[in-house]
Amino acid sequence: MSDALQNLSASEKPGKPAPSGSPKAKYMTRAAIQHAAPFFVWLGVMFIGSLMHLTPNTASEDIETVAFLTDAQLYTLKTVLAGLAILLLRPWRYHIALQRANLLPALLIGLGVFAVWVIPESDWFQRLCPSVADLYERWCVRPFGELRPETDAITSQASYAPETTGWLAFSIHMLGTGIVIAIAEEFFWRAYLLRAARTPDFLDLDAGHFHPLSFCIVTAFFAAEHAEVLAGLIAGLAYGFLFIKTRDVWATCIAHAVTNLLLGFYVLQTGHWEFW
């Protein structure tokens, strides 16, 4: 707990939520914004781009894109804005620094989630277990909508491929998907929402306390935001338990970043641009 929170009066210490307008309530609101804003900046840029049909991928059957930006340029924009939000708001001020003992578990969990993400859809797994791969594709990848696009999204000319965007834009995309969104999501989903689902005074709660209902709700929403729902669910479980076990949000950031960076290199090597 930070010095500022420790210095609040005894009447405003952990317990029921602080009265509206009190110093503690304002402190918690400020902390909530600092945790959540980078993630919502990221989502906001995506939403505006889609709503206004600013890029080729946001065209629909009824509305053509205005082609104001390329898909890579829009991704660069949200990477820069969300990254600036993280640096300016500094949500890590409410948390311990990375503990060295948590580094290896974070790396292993990041690697494990990557394996869960790509193995069921790899070519060799589909040759080895075609029926299982087919069931996975039908019921776990996109159970709420169309399966991912066919060959156009998997060719080297995908909208995020370096052959299309150039290596600078591709590198920024790797930075965004590998580092920026991993940090933004972990400070929102794990460091903030796991506890804020129980009380607005979320910093009062021990990060290591397992609360089944809030854990399941947060993990379900985290899974639902991913196209690969089952893989997203497993990732949410893994990152969530890592956070609760270690109380170290930087460990979950590293695990998430490892998964995303490995996915980026996997995409570059295999041409499976559907993951991006």
Side-chain angles (χ1 to χ4, degrees), residues 113 117 186 189-190 194 215 218-220 222-223 226 229-243 256:
V113 173
W117 216 283
E186 290 309 313
W189 292 111
R190 254 63 67 177
L194 269 179
F215 185 88
V218 169
T219 302
F222 178 79
H226 292 84
V229 177
L230 180 60
L233 178 63
I234 294 172
L237 291 170
Y239 302 151
F241 280 121
L242 178 65
F243 177 70
H256 199 152

Side-chain angles (χ1 to χ4, degrees), residues 248-266:
D248 186 350
V249 66
W250 286 114
T252 65
C253 288
I254 289 172
H256 199 152
V258 167
T259 300
N260 288 4
L261 286 170
L262 288 175
L263 279 171
F265 288 114
Y266 174 82

Side-chain angles (χ1 to χ4, degrees), residues 146-158:
E146 292 293 324
L147 296 180
R148 59 167 56 105
E150 297 297 335
T151 54
D152 287 346
I154 306 176
T155 65
S156 63
Q157 294 303 311

